[in-house]
């Protein structure tokens, strides 16, 4: 979200993080209703392991390419001039959704700890689960708005050099995560 905000302004960052909110909500729903049972199937775990590794490798490669050959114009365009909808906003939304849904650590968290925490809260509160899920989504949305506005504002203060630095840092993080996910999955499969 920060990188996207520096790259394309607060609206682009919000579209990406809004998509991620729906990915998180999807796993929250699945976690509340027994995602751990689905992940008990070895074929499903292997598919998520290899798929998550592939997505992280793709993201690392994209960020390396963006670091060495930025595809964005210099940061001079006012974010308010950018359209808030259209193909670019839809693409950012879908990227955010795909990023959240392909995150192996997010899947594991919601399948194990997240599902148990949510079920415990739901049982103590005694209310319908949709109230918990609505609160969860509202918190995610609030964080997305805050981070999007912050990164969009930082776009003008930091400049193109910082954008390249964030791209490089993102590439390193995605590469480390890809290796970690692959090695952990390999160890679990052995």
């Amino acid at each position: 979200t920060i990188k996207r905000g520096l790259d394309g302004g607060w609206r682009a960052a919000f579209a990406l993080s809004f998509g991620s909110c729906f990915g998180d909500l999807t796993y929250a729903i699945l976690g509340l209703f027994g995602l751990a049972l689905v992940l008990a199937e070895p074929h499903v775990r292997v598919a998520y392991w290899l798929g998550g590794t592939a997505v992280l490798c793709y993201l690392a490669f994209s960020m390396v390419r963006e670091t060495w050959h930025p595809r964005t114009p210099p940061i001079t365009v006012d974010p308010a001039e950018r359209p808030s909808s259209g193909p670019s906003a839809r693409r950012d939304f879908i990227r955010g959704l795909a990023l959240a849904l392909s995150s192996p650590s997010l899947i594991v968290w919601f399948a194990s700890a997240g599902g148990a925490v949510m079920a415990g809260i739901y049982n103590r509160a005694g209310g319908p689960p949709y109230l918990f899920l609505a609160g969860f989504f509202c918190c995610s949305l609030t964080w997305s708005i805050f981070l999007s506005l912050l990164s969009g504002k930082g776009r003008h203060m930091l400049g193109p050099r910082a954008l390249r630095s964030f791209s490089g840092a993102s590439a390193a993080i995605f590469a480390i995560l890809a290796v970690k996910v692959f090695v952990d999955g390999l160890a679990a499969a052995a």
Side-chain angles (χ1 to χ4, degrees):
T1 299
I2 292 171
K3 196 253 182 238
R4 188 66 186 115
L6 291 172
D7 184 24
W10 75 270
R11 289 181 179 160
F14 179 72
L16 181 89
S17 60
F18 191 56
S20 181
C21 285
F22 279 97
D24 293 346
L25 182 62
T26 300
Y27 281 131
I29 291 169
L30 292 174
L32 190 60
F33 296 109
L35 177 62
L37 296 174
V38 174
L39 290 178
E41 175 62 37
H43 293 80
V44 173
R45 283 195 317 264
V46 168
Y48 274 118
W49 164 49
L50 295 175
T53 300
V55 168
L56 289 168
C57 286
Y58 170 77
L59 291 170
F61 174 76
S62 296
M63 291 297 102
V64 166
R65 187 179 52 211
E66 184 71 22
T67 300
W68 294 111
H69 304 289
R71 60 178 163 72
T72 57
I75 302 175
T76 56
V77 178
D78 183 15
E81 295 174 10
R82 292 189 177 276
S84 60
S85 62
S88 151
R90 279 190 293 274
R91 184 177 43 226
D92 285 331
F93 176 84
I94 290 169
R95 282 181 185 161
L97 180 65
L99 187 60
L101 291 177
S102 67
S103 171
S105 59
L106 190 63
I107 295 164
V108 170
W109 188 85
F110 274 111
S112 57
V117 167
M118 289 184 294
I121 292 170
Y122 169 65
N123 286 336
R124 278 194 309 273
Y130 65 83
L131 288 177
F132 173 80
L133 294 171
F136 175 82
F137 184 77
C138 286
C139 289
S140 295
L141 184 61
T142 301
W143 176 248
S144 295
I145 291 169
F146 171 74
L147 202 55
S148 299
L149 290 171
L150 183 67
S151 64
K153 196 65 158 164
R155 175 176 202 236
H156 294 288
M157 297 184 327
L158 297 176
R161 193 171 199 180
L163 179 58
R164 290 182 77 173
S165 297
F166 273 100
S167 295
S170 295
I173 290 169
F174 285 134
I176 290 167
L177 287 174
V179 169
K180 181 175 177 5
V181 166
F182 184 76
V183 169
D184 288 351
L186 197 58

